[in-house]
Amino acid sequence: MLLFGSAVSILPFYWMFISGLKSTPEIMSPVIKWFPADPQWGNFIRAWNWLKPSFSRAFLNSTIVTVGTVGLILITGSLTGYALAKFKFRGRDVLFKFVLATMMFPFFIGLIPSYMLISWLGLNNTLLGVILPAGASAYTIFFLRQYILTVPDELIEAARISGASEFKIYWRIIVPLIKPALISIGLLNSVWIWNDLIWPMVVLQSRDLATVQVALAGLWDIRGQLSDINLVLASAFIAAVPTIIIAIIAIGYLIKGFTGLGYVKR
């Protein structure tokens, strides 16, 4: 079963890679060929320079959006999770349930209000307009809140007695203790944001600001037609390389982060 599951997961990426090495007639042939007869490595170089804007520009835009959004998500998620886990105030449980309830609604429900807000702030057609609405994640808040619940209250009370401020407790005690959770949830969000298409496509109108996924979608005058299907697949594989690298790096942190939750009595 493990071998079968691995094969099902890896096969699409393998097929995308070898198709990027084939010629167009070989790809369109009804005979399935698991290895290219004449590998054309130059397809990947052609694909890199094929899109408008160039892949280098699109990669830079996607990197800015991913790093900025993930950083904002981790800040808002850890601070909110700390408040919901270790502070007692009226309406805390109701607020937490409201946060959980937002996970039940699809993203498209808030698409138009988010766009209207971004336009009102004058952030339409900017990378900051892509970053800000995605800067808070209900799942991240829930996950980090559950992780922070495992931190002993006695440790926090001892720091308060010693005169530490709440922010110092958060930065010097909470953040180091939840580091595995921050890394694992950050890596997951990185993959999701890198592959996001709908929101960047809605906010961005300039071709110079297009992210990798928007460029691949053909929104900005991609020159290829069906005759360039090998370049399309080569481009898709290049775009998938960062997520593959993140997945390889994330395995150990994901296991450590999720198993570190343990049993939470709340």
Side-chain angles (χ1 to χ4, degrees), residues 136-202:
S137 167
Y139 178 76
T140 300
I141 293 172
F142 166 73
F143 181 80
L144 294 180
R145 184 254 185 191
Q146 297 302 108
Y147 209 98
I148 294 173
L149 284 175
T150 63
V151 177
D153 294 336
E154 294 77 10
L155 189 62
I156 298 175
E157 292 298 331
R160 287 173 178 163
I161 293 174
S162 300
S165 64
E166 293 298 335
F167 182 79
K168 188 174 182 179
I169 294 173
Y170 160 78
W171 185 251
R172 300 294 297 273
I173 297 178
I174 299 299
V175 171
L177 290 176
I178 65 172
K179 186 178 179 180
L182 289 173
I183 295 176
S184 59
I185 200 68
L187 291 171
L188 284 176
N189 279 297
S190 297
V191 174
W192 295 334
I193 295 166
W194 181 272
N195 292 324
D196 187 23
L197 171 64
I198 301 300
W199 180 242
M201 186 179 290
V202 170

Side-chain angles (χ1 to χ4, degrees), residues 26-232:
E26 192 175 7
I27 294 176
M28 304 305 294
S29 173
V31 179
I32 297 178
K33 296 182 179 180
W34 295 101
F35 301 97
D38 182 20
Q40 301 180 10
W41 296 98
N43 285 347
F44 290 95
I45 299 176
R46 292 174 57 199
W48 182 267
N49 301 314
W50 184 50
L51 296 181
K52 289 184 178 181
S54 65
F55 248 126
S56 56
R57 180 71 183 188
F59 261 71
L60 177 61
N61 294 335
S62 289
T63 301
I64 294 174
V65 170
T66 302
V67 173
T69 306
V70 170
L72 193 57
I73 285 175
L74 293 181
I75 292 173
T76 57
S78 58
L79 286 172
T80 307
Y82 175 48
L84 292 173
K86 297 301 181 181
F87 284 80
K88 295 182 179 179
F89 55 90
R90 181 177 299 178
R92 182 189 66 173
D93 295 338
V94 175
L95 181 61
F96 179 58
K97 292 177 181 178
F98 178 78
V99 172
L100 293 181
T102 61
M103 298 170 59
M104 306 300 161
F105 298 97
F107 166 76
F108 299 99
I109 291 181
L111 188 64
I112 295 178
S114 297
Y115 179 76
M116 294 176 63
L117 181 61
I118 289 300
S119 298
W120 180 72
L121 293 174
L123 297 177
N124 189 29
N125 196 32
T126 64
L127 295 180
L128 186 60
V130 180
I131 294 172
L132 284 182
S137 167
Y139 178 76
T140 300
I141 293 172
F142 166 73
F143 181 80
L144 294 180
R145 184 254 185 191
Q146 297 302 108
Y147 209 98
I148 294 173
L149 284 175
T150 63
V151 177
D153 294 336
E154 294 77 10
L155 189 62
I156 298 175
E157 292 298 331
R160 287 173 178 163
I161 293 174
S162 300
S165 64
E166 293 298 335
F167 182 79
K168 188 174 182 179
I169 294 173
Y170 160 78
W171 185 251
R172 300 294 297 273
I173 297 178
I174 299 299
V175 171
L177 290 176
I178 65 172
K179 186 178 179 180
L182 289 173
I183 295 176
S184 59
I185 200 68
L187 291 171
L188 284 176
N189 279 297
S190 297
V191 174
W192 295 334
I193 295 166
W194 181 272
N195 292 324
D196 187 23
L197 171 64
I198 301 300
W199 180 242
M201 186 179 290
V202 170
V203 176
L204 303 174
Q205 288 83 44
S206 173
R207 66 173 58 185
D208 292 330
L209 295 176
T211 59
V212 170
Q213 306 305 329
V214 173
L216 283 178
L219 188 62
W220 309 125
D221 187 26
I222 293 180
R223 290 170 290 176
Q225 303 298 324
L226 185 59
S227 59
D228 297 312
I229 188 65
N230 55 347
L231 296 186
V232 173

